[in-house]
Amino acid sequence: MTTTDRRAALRTGAGLAAAGALTGCSMNGSTVARPAAPPRTPSVAPAPRAFPRRPVQIEHGPRDRPRVALTFHGQGDPALARALLDEAEKGGARLTVLAVGSWLDAYPELARRILDGGHDLGNHTQRHVDINALPEAEAYAEISGCAERLRRLTGSIGTWFRPSRAARASPLVERLARRAGYPHVLSYDVDSLDFTSPGAPAVTRRITSRIQGGSVVSLHFGYADTVAALPAVLEELDRRGLRAVTTTELLS
């Protein structure tokens, strides 16, 4: 065999080996076991749902079920956001994240990271300003601007809307949220006050002293105290027989 022939044979062998790796077959025709492909994440995120027996502004879910919803204002340091999601998933918790549109502009990959973890993803306005104080056109732009970013990143406007810098929406903002496609405004009945950075033990105490079946808890990404408090919160919920689920699951 000439040098040229040997090189051609080597190239052919390499090509067959590569083909075998792609098809799951070895060079001698036998089948090669390959690990199963991971499940694919749906390309389109869940859309908002109407809950006919629930008010427009939802503060909590059913009190007679052992479930709670931990809801997060989505902005701040992305490393802390990822750490918090990791801690939640280690503890078997599913969260609800209300994302700020400008935060999604800066960190668009976090929208898919949240959904891939099995969490709810929703709208917390575009710039996180005092939406109840804005004129109608500006307030609607805040809601629809964030909704459009969510749609572009995930195929959906998200499952929930929460007003920025307010526990409850004004009647005007309620109407604007419905116009944008959100049947409900998500409020809460337990405020962790984690944004005041009181220390992880204080965050834990405040949540666990007020939480009960059906509670919706307000928390924030971007605070180290919240990340540090989460394992203790989940441990206490487990001790009481309560499970942290998405808001959609809480109300379903």
Side-chain angles (χ1 to χ4, degrees), residues 3-247:
T3 301
T4 301
D5 290 338
R6 282 196 298 271
R7 287 175 178 165
L10 287 170
R11 284 196 299 272
T12 303
L16 288 171
L22 289 172
T23 60
C25 295
S26 67
M27 292 287 288
N28 63 12
S30 61
T31 301
V32 177
R34 292 181 301 177
R40 295 183 63 184
T41 301
S43 57
V44 178
R49 286 175 51 188
F51 293 88
R53 297 182 182 179
R54 292 287 158 189
V56 173
Q57 298 213 46
I58 294 175
E59 294 184 353
H60 61 81
R63 294 298 193 190
D64 59 349
R65 299 179 191 169
R67 299 176 178 180
V68 298
L70 304 180
T71 69
F72 288 80
H73 302 239
Q75 64 175 345
D77 184 346
L80 288 175
R82 293 187 187 96
L84 199 147
L85 292 167
D86 289 345
E87 286 293 343
E89 289 156 19
K90 282 181 198 172
R94 294 294 176 261
L95 313 178
T96 301
V97 181
L98 296 312
V100 176
S102 58
W103 186 70
L104 292 174
D105 288 338
Y107 310 107
E109 72 283 356
L110 284 173
R112 183 51 58 185
R113 168 66 185 88
I114 291 163
L115 292 172
D116 285 349
H119 312 289
D120 271 357
L121 178 62
N123 180 330
H124 196 39
T125 75
Q126 176 57 25
R127 297 176 298 147
H128 202 256
V129 294
D130 183 358
I131 191 168
N132 286 341
L134 294 178
E136 180 172 345
E138 291 181 36
Y140 185 70
E142 284 292 317
I143 301 170
S144 60
C146 185
E148 180 53 38
R149 279 150 181 83
L150 287 164
R151 191 195 305 277
R152 186 180 69 240
L153 291 170
T154 71
S156 161
I157 63 171
T159 45
W160 298 97
F161 167 73
R162 172 173 286 168
S164 47
R165 300 193 181 275
R168 294 181 61 84
S170 68
L172 171 62
V173 171
E174 268 189 20
R175 293 196 301 274
L176 297 178
R178 287 198 298 273
R179 188 201 303 175
Y182 300 97
H184 300 282
V185 172
L186 183 58
S187 185
Y188 47 87
D189 64 324
V190 177
D191 190 348
S192 70
L193 298 180
D194 57 347
F195 61 91
T196 64
S197 298
V203 172
T204 301
R205 282 194 304 272
R206 183 165 180 87
I207 295 170
T208 57
S209 66
R210 290 164 171 77
I211 201 166
Q212 57 181 306
S215 282
V216 176
V217 184
S218 172
L219 298 121
H220 294 74
F221 280 175
Y223 293 89
D225 288 350
T226 312
V227 180
L230 189 59
V233 170
L234 295 179
E235 183 178 344
E236 178 61 17
L237 293 181
D238 185 61
R239 190 187 69 79
R240 298 185 193 182
L242 297 172
R243 188 160 63 96
V245 299
T246 66
T247 306

